[in-house]
Amino acid sequence: MPKKKIIVWFRQDLRRADNPALYEAYQEGAHILPIFIQDDKNSGQYKRGAASNWWLHYSLKDLNNNLSDHMAFFKGKADDILPKLIEESGADAVYWNRCYEPWRTSRDKKIKKQLEGDGVEAQSFKGTLIWEPWTIQTGSGTPYKVFTPFYKNGCLGKGDPQEPLPVPDRLTYADKPASAVSLDKLGLLPTDIRWDKKIEPYWKIGEDGANEALFNFIDGGANTYSEDRNRPDKNNTSRLSPYLHFGEISPRTVWNEIRKRQETDSTSLSDTKTYLSEIGWREFCYNLLYHFEDRITDKPLQEKFEAFPWESNKQALQRWKVGQTGYPIVDAGMRQLWETGWMHNRVRMIVASFLIKDLMIHWKEGERWFWDTLVDADLASNTSNWQWVAGSGADASPFFRIFNPITQGEKFDPNGDYIRRWVPELKNIPDKYLNKPWDADEDTLKKAGVKLGKDYPKPIVDHSSARERALEAYKKVKNAA
Ligand code: FAD
């Protein structure tokens, strides 16, 4: 009997280890046709940003190497491409791991129906999350809106996740179809200005890079994670976010390795628990995205925030984007993002609060900038976190919690190492003035070689009055409630 031929459709699961769709096809002893479709048509406004496209290119390259150059790439609408590909390849089945973005879930449902209608087997698996949104519900059968019960009762209540699946040890492949294009033809890399060259040295993209990041973290930052995860000057977080986003490592693998290390080694229970709860936040964001769709991506989850009087200020937005606000911790964060495609979580909260509350610019503007520039840009995590900072999301930080960019910098970058690294023009400013250079006297500034307004901008707004203005504006929301 001829072997079954299975298309394994890779999407946000660009790995061999713990990949349920690939593993199932392997266990069936099938001829496997691994594919990726660059589907910019169905994604609409959620077309991947430039930094994500860059990452994706190298992630696909790595996966293709690991699959001995058998990946077949396509560009276009997945719902057009798949039926044609089945005809061309004679495949019997299509397997994939589920995604949860609204545009993907509706597309995938349509495709499943279409394939089954054509007599082709279509199977989807869980590979991107540990707990899928529809499996975690409150006692009354509604989705959770608050993180702690979601995580404690919902997720942890289900016990530890299963052991991850191994890498299939020998795969047999189907012939690559003639209609496949080369990876380069997907057009994921920037063409004119090669800004990606500056980001490249910061990352090792692919499955090996993901495992390296995980084990470096386990041997290092994990041991003081609870205490130091808020310190952008230290290298204490895992930096696994882009790998998790593109699925170069599964959340189940991360969870299991962290748990194993805690049981056998020195990592304390509290550090482990804190770290695992961050993985829980990722799951929570997907839970929100799945259940609330455009009320999390486009509109405030709390409707009363529709009354907020946002301001349009192109010049201020631009200065925020390029790290020229005159607030050193904000500028350091925005420049780290531009230079590396990533920003520390504490600083993401500070810069987001600054845009929303000090500048009163709509959180969607910040979300779009992050979407284009972050290598870990993720619809669920990005939109939920922006809404969290704006105070308009589920289980959000209250609007009146306005981060003070001066004291935040002093507290979380106490020696000024982070600011001095990313805002080098301030490197000779004494610690006392590093977060508020405008308070330094002429002599101090002169000695540090800084002329405010020339070498480094004067503050774009006065934080105290901006804070008052934001609180005044917030009254509109309160009154609308
Ligand atoms: P670690 O501290 O090592 O955490 C481990 C993992 O837990 C992360 O890789 C991530 O998958 C998850 N995680 C941690 N914190 C959060 C959180 N608050 N929400 C959801 N998951 C979390 N994260 C993204 O992956 N993509 C985004 O587009 C994104 N946009 C954000 C926008 C704003 C305004 C803010 C405040 C946060 C955003 N985050 C986003 C969440 C968080 O900042 C990053 O996940 C984290 O900084 C990644 O670094 P790490 O891998 O070293 O994190």
Side-chain angles (χ1 to χ4, degrees):
M1 191 169 144
K3 275 192 172 188
K4 190 170 171 183
K5 200 181 271 185
I6 301 178
I7 294 174
V8 177
W9 179 16
F10 284 89
R11 300 116 61 88
Q12 301 278 107
D13 50 351
L14 306 180
R15 62 177 183 271
R16 292 159 307 151
D18 198 26
N19 187 322
L22 178 66
Y23 198 75
E24 179 60 31
Y26 157 76
Q27 281 221 307
E28 289 184 36
H31 281 306
I32 293 172
L33 174 54
I35 68 161
F36 178 85
I37 304 172
Q38 162 70 354
D39 185 347
D40 264 353
K41 295 263 162 36
N42 279 306
S43 53
Q45 61 164 321
Y46 291 107
K47 224 186 256 182
R48 246 176 266 103
S52 299
N53 270 336
W54 167 76
W55 186 287
L56 176 63
H57 177 94
Y58 289 105
S59 189
L60 288 170
K61 190 171 175 185
D62 177 73
L63 180 66
N64 189 32
N65 282 341
N66 289 337
L67 298 178
S68 315
D69 200 22
H70 284 94
M71 282 290 292
F73 300 108
F74 300 90
K75 195 172 179 174
K77 283 177 80 178
D79 34 341
D80 289 341
I81 287 170
L82 277 168
K84 285 188 200 142
L85 180 59
I86 284 158
E87 219 179 287
E88 182 182 358
S89 64
D92 306 285
V94 187
Y95 290 178
W96 66 81
N97 295 310
R98 288 184 281 278
C99 293
Y100 309 90
E101 288 80 4
W103 70 267
R104 281 201 171 106
T105 48
S106 57
R107 179 198 64 182
D108 295 351
K109 270 188 203 147
K110 184 175 151 199
I111 288 177
K112 201 167 194 174
K113 213 169 146 200
Q114 191 179 344
L115 292 177
E116 285 169 351
D118 293 344
V120 178
E121 185 192 342
Q123 274 206 62
S124 69
F125 300 83
K126 179 183 77 165
T128 302
L129 291 177
I130 299 177
W131 299 282
E132 291 187 300
W134 53 88
T135 66
I136 305 284
Q137 288 183 335
T138 63
S140 51
T142 52
Y144 282 103
K145 280 190 174 179
V146 180
F147 174 71
T148 305
F150 165 84
Y151 182 60
K152 293 216 161 126
N153 308 340
C155 304
L156 298 183
K158 293 198 180 288
D160 263 343
Q162 286 172 326
E163 282 287 315
L165 299 165
V167 176
D169 62 5
R170 209 176 306 126
L171 294 168
T172 50
Y173 296 98
D175 291 339
K176 210 182 271 191
S179 61
V181 300
S182 69
L183 173 59
D184 288 342
K185 278 268 157 45
L186 300 187
L188 299 169
L189 292 178
T191 43
D192 35 6
I193 303 169
R194 291 303 303 260
W195 50 263
D196 53 317
K197 293 287 164 211
K198 75 178 168 24
I199 298 188
E200 218 169 74
Y202 293 98
W203 300 101
K204 179 173 173 185
I205 302 176
E207 256 188 292
D208 285 352
N211 284 306
E212 232 171 71
L214 173 63
F215 290 105
N216 283 343
F217 173 67
I218 286 177
D219 291 337
N223 298 306
T224 54
Y225 183 75
S226 308
E227 200 182 314
D228 288 334
R229 72 195 181 94
N230 275 312
R231 292 280 300 268
D233 55 332
K234 295 190 172 186
N235 194 6
N236 255 92
T237 67
S238 66
R239 298 191 185 221
L240 277 169
S241 48
Y243 302 102
L244 280 165
H245 172 75
F246 286 100
E248 290 157 34
I249 196 163
S250 75
R252 187 159 69 171
T253 301
V254 174
W255 185 283
N256 276 276
E257 289 301 335
I258 296 276
R259 288 278 285 133
K260 249 195 267 170
R261 186 56 73 101
Q262 179 248 314
E263 278 160 12
T264 56
D265 204 357
S266 58
T267 312
S268 79
L269 189 58
S270 100
D271 288 312
T272 306
K273 277 190 169 165
T274 309
Y275 186 78
L276 295 182
S277 76
E278 295 304 326
I279 300 295
W281 269 101
R282 176 176 179 272
E283 304 271 328
F284 183 58
C285 293
Y286 274 94
N287 166 71
L288 295 176
L289 177 66
Y290 181 80
H291 289 294
F292 301 102
E293 299 198 354
D294 66 339
R295 277 240 79 95
I296 197 83
T297 54
D298 286 328
K299 299 180 200 128
L301 190 68
Q302 298 177 40
E303 279 174 49
K304 61 183 186 195
F305 272 85
E306 277 173 17
F308 191 81
W310 298 109
E311 290 193 356
S312 162
N313 184 338
K314 282 198 175 132
Q315 207 196 355
L317 176 62
Q318 184 59 19
R319 281 179 62 177
W320 176 82
K321 286 180 178 175
V322 297
Q324 293 286 345
T325 66
Y327 282 91
I329 190 74
V330 174
D331 295 341
M334 298 310 291
R335 294 187 201 183
Q336 179 184 30
L337 171 60
W338 187 243
E339 193 68 24
T340 69
W342 183 89
M343 194 197 298
H344 186 277
N345 180 58
R346 166 63 45 179
V347 192
R348 290 188 203 204
M349 293 193 281
I350 300 170
V351 304
S353 175
F354 191 83
L355 184 80
I356 295 168
K357 296 168 186 177
D358 287 60
L359 301 179
M360 283 184 33
I361 293 177
H362 201 299
W363 63 265
K364 282 293 296 172
E365 295 284 1
E367 184 266 330
R368 293 315 294 174
W369 182 247
F370 272 28
W371 183 255
D372 200 35
T373 53
L374 276 172
V375 289
D376 64 21
D378 180 277
L379 190 58
S381 295
N382 201 27
T383 48
S384 305
N385 276 286
W386 273 96
Q387 290 226 36
W388 185 89
V389 178
S392 60
D395 195 5
S397 163
F399 183 88
F400 53 77
R401 183 177 169 207
I402 298 179
F403 281 80
N404 179 325
I406 304 157
T407 53
Q408 287 281 312
E410 289 168 347
K411 185 167 175 195
F412 295 110
D413 182 26
N415 310 316
D417 295 341
Y418 180 74
I419 290 178
R420 289 194 173 89
R421 167 148 197 220
W422 297 109
V423 190
E425 62 269 38
L426 298 180
K427 69 176 186 297
N428 295 322
I429 298 265
D431 286 357
K432 189 176 165 196
Y433 298 112
L434 191 59
N435 282 282
K436 41 181 185 217
W438 58 88
D439 266 3
D441 54 56
E442 277 304 311
D443 195 39
T444 307
L445 287 173
K446 203 168 170 193
K447 274 196 199 130
V450 177
K451 192 164 170 38
L452 282 185
K454 183 169 168 274
D455 305 305
Y456 183 69
K458 292 181 179 163
I460 187 170
V461 284
D462 166 61
H463 173 67
S464 302
S465 12
R467 183 174 181 281
E468 291 312 313
R469 196 171 68 113
L471 290 175
E472 193 54 37
Y474 176 58
K475 283 187 186 155
K476 286 220 158 114
V477 171
K478 281 215 289 205
N479 294 339

